[in-house]
């Protein structure tokens, strides 16, 4: 299924909507925290306001080409994180899930709640068959979130990413459309 515009989604506590230019300052503050960049594979540190603006400005192109859908996670009217389905591969009906939540909201279950809705969207609205996720091996918090989502660990990608000048192992997880009946 191809969508003409990026929808907004909601959960019991959260609103997931497209990022807008006005989110840049808050994105810079939250994603720029070293605690976020430490285990987020794609976030660099420092994360400048210019980088936040540029990233937001590029998001519509990813949606228009059908390669990614990024959602700003909002609690009430406050931006608290991001969840995305990226590297969408229509031929093989798969995508990669990525997410992060700002440090003040850690331990609240918001990452699981937002990711669960993104997974539902991927399977039901994008007709995906497989959603995978990567996590830095030393990140137990993301491991718990992925387990709560019913994702299954498939393997270890040795020295897959470089963080702080050191190569790090990454763990690969997946969830199949058929897995959902028992886990999500």
């Amino acid at each position: 299924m191809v969508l003409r515009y990026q929808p907004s989604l909601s959960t019991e506590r959260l609103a997931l909507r497209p990022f807008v230019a006005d989110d840049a300052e808050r994105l810079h503050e939250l994603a720029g925290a070293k605690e976020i960049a430490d285990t987020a594979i794609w976030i660099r540190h420092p994360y400048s306001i210019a980088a936040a603006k540029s990233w937001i400005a590029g998001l519509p192109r990813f949606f228009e080409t059908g390669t990614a859908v990024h959602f700003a996670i909002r609690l009430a009217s406050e931006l608290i994180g991001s969840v995305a389905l990226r590297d969408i591969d229509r031929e093989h009906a798969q995508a990669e899930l990525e997410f992060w939540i700002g440090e003040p909201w850690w331990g609240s279950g918001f990452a699981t709640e937002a990711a669960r809705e993104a997974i539902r969207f991927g399977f039901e609205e994008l007709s995906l068959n497989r959603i995978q996720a990567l996590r830095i091996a030393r990140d137990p918090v993301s491991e718990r979130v992925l387990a709560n989502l019913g994702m299954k660990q498939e393997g270890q990608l040795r020295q897959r990413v470089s963080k702080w000048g050191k190569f790090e192992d990454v763990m690969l997880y997946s969830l199949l459309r058929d897995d959902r009946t028992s886990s999500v």
Side-chain angles (χ1 to χ4, degrees), residues 9-177:
L9 310 174
S10 62
T11 68
E12 183 178 326
R13 302 179 292 169
L14 303 171
L16 281 60
R17 62 139 172 88
F19 278 91
V20 296
D22 287 345
D23 292 327
E25 182 64 37
R26 189 68 175 142
L27 176 64
H28 158 71
E29 292 169 8
L30 292 174
K34 190 170 184 177
E35 297 81 7
I36 297 297
D38 185 43
T39 56
I41 292 172
W42 70 272
I43 298 176
R44 301 190 188 284
H45 185 78
Y47 188 66
S48 69
I49 186 70
K53 288 178 179 178
S54 176
W55 184 76
I56 290 171
L59 294 179
R61 179 178 50 85
F62 291 114
F63 184 77
E64 290 163 7
T65 60
T67 57
V69 57
H70 293 81
F71 294 98
I73 302 170
R74 299 184 68 82
L75 178 63
S77 62
E78 186 170 18
L79 176 67
I80 66 168
S82 174
V83 64
L85 293 170
R86 53 174 290 213
D87 296 331
I88 297 171
D89 178 342
R90 294 287 181 191
E91 180 181 358
H92 301 291
Q94 62 184 350
E96 180 182 333
L97 172 72
E98 73 178 19
F99 56 86
W100 61 267
I101 293 290
E103 191 271 333
W105 300 277
W106 288 359
S108 62
F110 293 140
T112 301
E113 188 173 330
R116 184 170 281 125
E117 180 61 12
I119 288 169
R120 183 209 61 76
F121 176 78
F123 287 132
E124 295 179 12
E125 304 299 324
L126 300 180
S127 301
L128 298 176
N129 181 62
R130 172 189 167 90
I131 296 175
Q132 68 181 29
L134 301 172
R135 73 164 176 89
I136 291 181
R138 65 178 166 77
D139 180 5
V141 175
S142 291
E143 180 179 24
R144 284 191 301 275
V145 171
L146 296 171
N148 287 341
L149 294 169
M151 296 191 104
K152 295 177 177 35
Q153 185 175 315
E154 291 187 340
Q156 180 175 348
L157 307 173
R158 299 179 319 135
Q159 297 186 7
R160 168 69 169 75
V161 298
S162 176
K163 274 293 187 177
W164 320 120
K166 178 183 174 207
F167 287 101
E168 302 233 25
D169 293 351
V170 170
M171 308 308 288
L172 172 65
Y173 291 76
S174 73
L175 184 67
L176 305 178
R177 175 186 294 277

